[in-house]
Amino acid sequence: MLDLASRLTDLPERCGHAPWPGHEYVKGWGVFGLPFDSGHVLALRVFPENDFGPYKTVWHRDPDGRWSIFVDGDRLETACPRYYGSACAYTGFATIGVEWSGPVALRITIDEPALDWTLTAYETPALRMLNAAGRHMPLASWRSSSLVRGREMIAAAMGLGRLRMTGVMPSGHTGILMPQQMFLVTQSTAILGGHDLGEPTRLKANPLIGGVALPARGVLAIGQAMWQTLGSVESASCPDTPAPDPPPR
């Protein structure tokens, strides 16, 4: 039986270094994106491990295409707004609650603006096989453009649309998203500022944030992401944590 709650609750927090030299990283899980039939889109990021310090974020796109990112963490500039903030109408701090109410049932809350968002994830038989394989794929497989393209084709077959795992962020960082496991989300409710956002839906075109595509349907992912640093100052974030040995090529 799928039990995401046991796997993802109380993950250890760690400030570390990216496994690839010249990169910064995040590791954790989140709702990659979830469109609603009202035109709203929500996303969640929970990254207890990264270069800068643990944080959670909730992303929101309104029906007019305006993005906001709410950060529960120490600094805006070392959380998701670091890469996507220039494409947002608003970025700011919030208190974000993340609670599993069942093995695959999740509740996310924000204090201001008031958000109460619930969802249920599930795994198809085909995803179960892909996820089992994904857990054992070496990190070096993400350096192969053909293997990355293969993963993008699998995402398209899942109905996630035209996703690109690699690309340039609105900030100018070149990044790569590395989902190891993915789970679909079709059941969800969300009340934002007293307004019901409607039913989850599957879009014909991927929602975009600064030219970067999010999924056309709801998906929860576990994995990591890395971005090339733009300068030597950026990488000096955890001086007290020894850098790992370079991985084998």
Side-chain angles (χ1 to χ4, degrees), residues 48-155:
E49 179 180 339
N50 58 76
D51 285 88
F52 305 105
Y55 66 85
K56 301 186 289 286
T57 60
V58 169
W59 303 16
H60 170 243
R61 191 201 73 177
D62 69 19
D64 294 323
R66 293 184 296 262
W67 282 98
S68 299
I69 296 180
F70 306 96
V71 177
D72 192 332
D74 290 337
R75 292 179 290 167
L76 299 181
E77 64 270 20
T78 55
C80 294
R82 179 178 186 83
Y83 311 105
Y84 301 95
S86 62
C88 294
Y90 173 82
T91 61
F93 292 105
T95 299
I96 299 173
V98 176
E99 179 184 3
W100 292 92
S101 56
V104 292
L106 181 64
R107 184 186 183 195
I108 305 102
T109 58
I110 294 182
D111 58 343
E112 181 63 37
L115 172 69
D116 194 339
W117 174 22
T118 65
L119 61 91
T120 302
Y122 74 99
E123 186 179 46
T124 65
L127 266 180
R128 190 173 301 116
M129 292 187 293
L130 289 170
N131 287 338
R135 295 182 71 173
H136 300 289
M137 290 289 286
L139 190 64
S141 68
W142 289 98
R143 291 190 180 273
S144 168
S145 58
S146 60
L147 289 178
V148 172
R149 179 58 182 150
R151 289 174 167 108
E152 293 171 347
M153 293 174 66
I154 291 173

Side-chain angles (χ1 to χ4, degrees), residues 128-216:
R128 190 173 301 116
M129 292 187 293
L130 289 170
N131 287 338
R135 295 182 71 173
H136 300 289
M137 290 289 286
L139 190 64
S141 68
W142 289 98
R143 291 190 180 273
S144 168
S145 58
S146 60
L147 289 178
V148 172
R149 179 58 182 150
R151 289 174 167 108
E152 293 171 347
M153 293 174 66
I154 291 173
M158 291 170 54
L160 304 185
R162 300 185 63 180
L163 290 179
R164 292 293 177 262
M165 303 297 183
T166 62
V168 179
M169 305 299 108
S171 62
H173 292 82
T174 297
I176 177 167
L177 304 179
M178 304 174 175
Q180 291 180 316
Q181 298 177 282
M182 293 189 288
F183 308 89
L184 297 178
V185 177
T186 56
Q187 297 180 5
S188 181
T189 63
I191 306 295
L192 177 63
H195 299 286
D196 189 336
L197 301 192
E199 298 291 329
T201 191
R202 178 173 168 179
L203 301 177
K204 294 181 179 179
N206 293 74
L208 300 175
I209 178 168
V212 177
L214 297 188

